Amino acid sequence: MDDIITIYVTDLHGDRHEIQAPTDMGLNVMEAIKANNLTVKATCGGMAMCATCNVIIKSDHELPEMSESEEDMLDEAFVLEVEGSRLSCQIPVSAEIDGLELSMAPLSNPED
Amino acid sequence: MIETDIIIIGAGPCGLFTVFEAGLIKLRCHLIDSLAQPGGQLAEIYPKKPIYDVPGFPSILAGELVDNLIKQGEPFKPGFTLGERAEQIEKTEDNQFIVTTNRGTQHKAPVVAIAGGLGCFEPRKPELTNLEKYEDHGVDYIIKDPEKFRDKNVVIAGGGDSALDWSIFLADVAKSVTLVHRRSKFRGALDSVEKVEMLSQAGKIDLITNAEITELGGGSDLESVHIFKKLEETSVIKDVDYFIPLFGLSPKLGPLKEWGLNLNKESIPVNTVDYSTSVPGIYAIGDINDYEGKLRLILCGFHEATIMVQSAYRRIHPEKNLVLKYTTVSGVNAFN
């Protein structure tokens, strides 16, 4: 279907999952990950107020620019300088990110 | 030893509302929380965010909801052990529980309610060698008693609200306050940022931006910090009594894993009849529990707290029949 995109998520064990997400539900990538029963800590629920949905973007999709709050949060968690580091809650699920490839970052580990 | 009817582990919205519902049926509560203030993540992470799905409030700020919940529970005089992490639960011979914190404070009650949310908030620590050596010897991550810093030289690191707020507060208490931030702009509330800048111009806060702490020095107690200024690429050494890194807190499940409860990943499976866990007398409510259809919403936690205290009552007073009382009929009868 047109309004469903695919995202490839490599979890903290190194396993790669292909997940699907609808583009018409106002979801962000963190929620898409959760909806597919992959683990992501996401303490604040998606407000860019923690850094526990941190992911590393591996593909060269053009993503929405980082807001100041996202940048601040990544910096506070000492992961701003990591290449591809983003808060998955700040990336909307849209047609533009179809095929996005990402890895879960250690901060997203609920057991950590 | 603190004795009560229900020991509540976690002073977030669910834990706070439990005080009220328990109070209506004359049960006393004592709350334990690793944070220095009640409110859980509402107070710690998003106090200024509006919440739109608390019944009866079209919109309420998270911080206001916490204040209201505290006020609502006040007639029932809850006890608080704050800034301490519940570390251990033991069962006694008389069928009660003793909950001990990481600071050794002991609490005894026939019922324990775990309202631990996502776990205990633990400080995010900067990567510094020696950091752990100086914990409690000059390095503090949460401020419980600001008087401790009176007439001391304090360095605070961080760029969020807590770093700003504590810098402002301690400017009048400490001998000197230095605020070190890794970036040029601050993340906190605008009025706090302006206040810090004002205090910096007045010489009451030494504001150092684009800088970070790279080294700690001293003997058995902290004596100095090295501040690396990124733009100038120079380091200065500052004599300090206290270094307070405030880089946010992140919840960790922590000691709960060792309490002998059945766990499902990071949550505690409960019986939805009364939110009891696999250990009779221990209940779990709010974001920490799990059952079919579970929704991690504050309003669902309130419901769970209400149901749970009824079961707690029957456990504590098996000889008494409990009749549901409406507050419209009976009002709120404060404890002495």
Side-chain angles (χ1 to χ4, degrees):
Chain A
M1 276 197 291
D2 295 348
D3 53 358
I4 292 190
I5 63 160
T6 302
I7 302 173
Y8 300 95
V9 179
T10 303
D11 65 24
L12 287 164
H13 305 289
D15 297 326
R16 186 168 179 264
H17 307 263
E18 180 184 318
I19 67 170
Q20 258 81 39
T23 55
D24 61 347
M25 293 287 289
L27 294 182
N28 58 53
V29 170
M30 177 274 284
E31 292 165 331
I33 294 168
K34 249 190 184 172
N36 283 273
N37 295 318
L38 297 176
T39 47
V40 49
K41 193 171 184 179
T43 303
C44 82
M47 294 185 279
M49 293 192 125
C50 69
T52 54
C53 68
N54 187 208
V55 296
I56 311 297
I57 305 294
K58 301 285 186 186
S59 54
D60 53 7
H61 286 76
E62 193 147 322
L63 297 178
E65 218 170 287
M66 231 184 251
S67 68
E68 211 166 285
S69 52
E70 181 179 354
E71 204 173 318
D72 284 336
M73 221 53 245
L74 290 168
D75 178 68
E76 191 169 280
F78 316 114
V79 291
L80 181 62
E81 279 94 25
V82 178
E83 168 117 32
S85 177
R86 293 291 303 251
L87 296 182
S88 56
C89 75
Q90 297 300 300
I91 306 170
V93 169
S94 67
E96 286 77 47
I97 66 160
D98 193 17
L100 187 73
E101 178 92 43
L102 61 87
S103 296
M104 302 308 298
L107 286 172
S108 71
N109 186 356
E111 285 168 57
D112 201 28
Chain B
M1 179 91 74
I2 296 163
E3 293 199 35
T4 188
D5 293 317
I6 305 179
I7 296 165
I8 304 169
I9 299 175
C14 267
L16 291 171
F17 190 62
T18 303
V19 172
F20 178 76
E21 285 295 337
L24 289 180
I25 52 174
K26 301 198 182 339
L27 298 179
R28 286 183 185 268
C29 296
H30 188 99
L31 297 119
I32 304 173
D33 201 292
S34 62
L35 293 172
Q37 80 281 341
Q41 59 169 306
L42 281 70
E44 184 57 41
I45 301 188
Y46 53 91
K48 307 273 166 68
K49 281 273 180 182
I51 306 174
Y52 300 100
D53 61 353
V54 179
F57 291 91
S59 166
I60 184 166
L61 296 183
E64 281 174 4
L65 179 62
V66 169
D67 292 344
N68 285 355
L69 286 164
I70 293 171
K71 202 170 160 200
Q72 195 170 18
E74 257 165 23
F76 303 121
K77 308 210 165 43
F80 287 94
T81 300
L82 295 173
E84 298 186 26
R85 187 177 65 210
E87 199 71 31
Q88 210 186 8
I89 300 185
E90 292 161 275
K91 196 146 188 206
T92 63
E93 278 176 11
D94 57 345
N95 219 11
Q96 301 217 16
F97 298 96
I98 294 177
V99 179
T100 308
T101 69
N102 60 330
R103 302 264 171 190
T105 311
Q106 291 200 305
H107 313 72
K108 189 177 180 191
V111 166
V112 175
I114 303 172
L118 295 166
C120 325
F121 277 87
E122 302 215 341
R124 193 177 282 136
K125 300 178 181 181
E127 277 183 27
L128 289 169
T129 44
N130 284 346
L131 187 70
E132 271 161 28
K133 173 181 165 190
Y134 291 118
E135 286 173 0
D136 287 333
H137 293 274
V139 172
D140 279 317
Y141 303 103
I142 61 169
I143 298 173
K144 272 179 79 174
D145 176 21
E147 273 307 306
K148 176 176 174 182
F149 306 103
R150 185 164 293 279
D151 302 322
K152 302 288 183 188
N153 294 308
V154 178
V155 169
I156 293 175
D161 280 309
S162 46
L164 293 165
D165 292 347
W166 281 116
S167 298
I168 294 165
F169 187 88
L170 291 177
D172 280 331
V173 176
K175 188 172 171 189
S176 74
V177 173
T178 306
L179 174 58
V180 179
H181 181 34
R182 289 151 53 88
R183 295 153 66 78
S184 53
K185 282 173 92 178
F186 285 91
R187 185 169 58 82
L190 191 63
D191 54 337
S192 310
V193 177
E194 283 169 356
K195 188 123 198 236
V196 162
E197 279 164 358
M198 234 172 61
L199 287 166
S200 157
Q201 279 158 18
K204 298 200 77 174
I205 292 178
D206 185 7
L207 185 59
I208 308 178
T209 52
N210 291 306
E212 58 188 317
I213 308 296
T214 49
E215 218 180 303
L216 307 177
S220 59
D221 289 318
L222 180 72
E223 288 164 18
S224 65
V225 296
H226 293 235
I227 305 169
F228 177 69
K229 298 182 180 178
K230 294 193 227 173
L231 301 180
E232 294 92 333
E233 293 191 6
T234 55
S235 271
V236 288
I237 299 175
K238 198 160 182 99
D239 290 339
V240 295
D241 300 299
Y242 289 101
F243 170 47
I244 312 172
L246 297 171
F247 293 109
L249 297 120
S250 190
K252 296 194 192 313
L253 203 55
L256 197 146
K257 285 180 199 161
E258 325 296 329
W259 294 347
L261 301 162
N262 287 345
L263 290 180
N264 173 20
K265 286 188 188 166
E266 284 71 46
S267 48
I268 306 170
V270 288
N271 181 345
T272 47
V273 165
D274 57 0
Y275 303 98
S276 52
T277 68
S278 56
V279 177
I282 302 183
Y283 299 81
I285 54 169
D287 283 1
I288 194 94
N289 75 14
D290 191 33
Y291 51 86
E292 198 184 337
K294 169 73 183 175
L295 290 179
R296 286 183 164 177
L297 289 175
I298 292 169
L299 77 97
C300 298
F302 288 165
H303 164 83
E304 293 167 13
T306 310
I307 301 289
M308 180 273 291
V309 295
Q310 302 282 316
S311 173
Y313 186 92
R314 285 191 290 273
R315 182 179 164 84
I316 296 168
H317 301 292
E319 73 290 359
K320 293 184 189 169
N321 283 329
L322 185 60
V323 176
L324 175 68
K325 297 265 207 175
Y326 294 103
T327 54
T328 44
V329 177
S330 311
V332 167
N333 300 304
F335 291 168
N336 296 322

